[in-house]
Amino acid sequence: SRPFLASDFSPFPSAAADLLKRGSVARTFHCPLAMENSSVPAETNTIQAPKICMVCFEEDEPHVSMPCCTRENSTVGFCRRCVEMICEQAQGGGLCPNCRQYISIDQQGRVSICCIMCRQTKVIVGSGMCDACLLGSRFSFRYECNRCHRVQRIPRPMWRYQPSPNDFGTASWACHASCGDYTMW
C-alpha cells in the first residue's frame, strides 16, 4: 500500500500539491500508516493550512487577534489593514465582519471590543454594554440640552459628568430634539 498524501484528502489534488510546494499550509495531521514504510519525506506528511483574511482573501498579510470570535488555531482571520479600514469607516469603532460585535483597533494593532451604546473601549459587563450604559439603559433620565434647552431621554448616566445637579456636564451626547449635533447635557 502507498502512504497517504495531502492530495488524497483534497477534492482538488493539484491545489493541495501546490500548497505543499509553496509551504503555506498551517494545520498538521499525521497518519501513522503513512509514516511507517514510507519513502515519502516526513515533511509531506505534515500539512500547514494558509492563514487567509476573510475580507481581502490575502495570505501574506499579518493577522490580528480578535477578542470576540477568532480562535488561535483558526486558518481564517482578519489582516490588520482590513480591520483598520473597517474601524476608520465607522469613525473609530466598526463591526466585526464575523460576529458583528463593535470593535476598535489601536496604533499597536490590538483589537478590543467596544460598548454597543457609547462605542467606547471599556469593560463590557452585560448585554454588550459598559457599566455606565447598562445602568443608563435600565434607568434612563431626561436631560436638558445646553444649546436648544429641550429635554431628551438619554440611556447613559450623564449625571456622572455633572459637577452639580444645576450645571451642564462635561460629556457630550447627540441632541435629537433640535440641534442635531453633539452637545453637553
Side-chain angles (χ1 to χ4, degrees):
S1 77
R2 69 179 183 80
F4 291 105
L5 300 174
S7 58
D8 295 334
F9 299 103
S10 172
F12 307 105
S14 62
D18 183 48
L19 287 175
L20 282 173
K21 285 179 195 168
R22 289 190 295 157
S24 60
V25 196
R27 284 204 182 176
T28 60
F29 76 90
H30 299 284
C31 178
L33 295 175
M35 300 296 230
E36 299 173 12
N37 308 329
S38 176
S39 61
V40 178
E43 58 268 2
T44 58
N45 289 329
T46 301
I47 297 180
Q48 297 180 343
K51 288 263 190 183
I52 299 172
C53 176
M54 294 185 344
V55 177
C56 67
F57 301 111
E58 292 290 327
E59 291 182 26
D60 300 329
E61 296 295 320
H63 284 239
V64 293
S65 175
M66 301 293 282
C68 48
C69 62
T70 304
R71 296 201 178 13
E72 189 175 324
N73 302 13
S74 179
T75 57
V76 292
F78 305 103
C79 65
R80 180 176 177 170
R81 186 63 199 136
C82 287
V83 174
E84 286 173 347
M85 287 179 9
I86 289 167
C87 292
E88 284 171 12
Q89 289 178 350
Q91 286 86 35
L95 292 174
C96 172
N98 190 36
C99 68
R100 312 304 289 166
Q101 280 199 355
Y102 286 98
I103 57 170
S104 66
I105 188 166
D106 63 10
Q107 295 295 333
Q108 288 78 32
R110 291 184 301 251
V111 179
S112 52
I113 300 174
C114 299
C115 173
I116 63 171
M117 183 72 68
C118 65
R119 304 287 195 314
Q120 294 179 13
T121 304
K122 297 194 174 206
V123 176
I124 306 301
V125 294
S127 302
M129 293 184 264
C130 63
D131 65 336
C133 290
L134 189 61
L135 177 66
S137 69
R138 291 185 180 158
F139 308 103
S140 60
F141 292 116
R142 295 177 8 191
Y143 295 93
E144 178 186 354
C145 174
N146 72 336
R147 280 196 208 150
C148 66
H149 298 286
R150 292 195 179 184
V151 176
Q152 174 178 319
R153 187 174 295 274
I154 298 178
R156 185 164 173 89
M158 302 303 279
W159 49 267
R160 286 184 172 181
Y161 313 106
Q162 291 175 296
S164 72
N166 295 330
D167 295 330
F168 289 106
T170 57
S172 64
W173 197 267
C175 178
H176 300 291
S178 175
C179 299
D181 196 12
Y182 285 90
T183 61
M184 302 302 171
W185 297 84

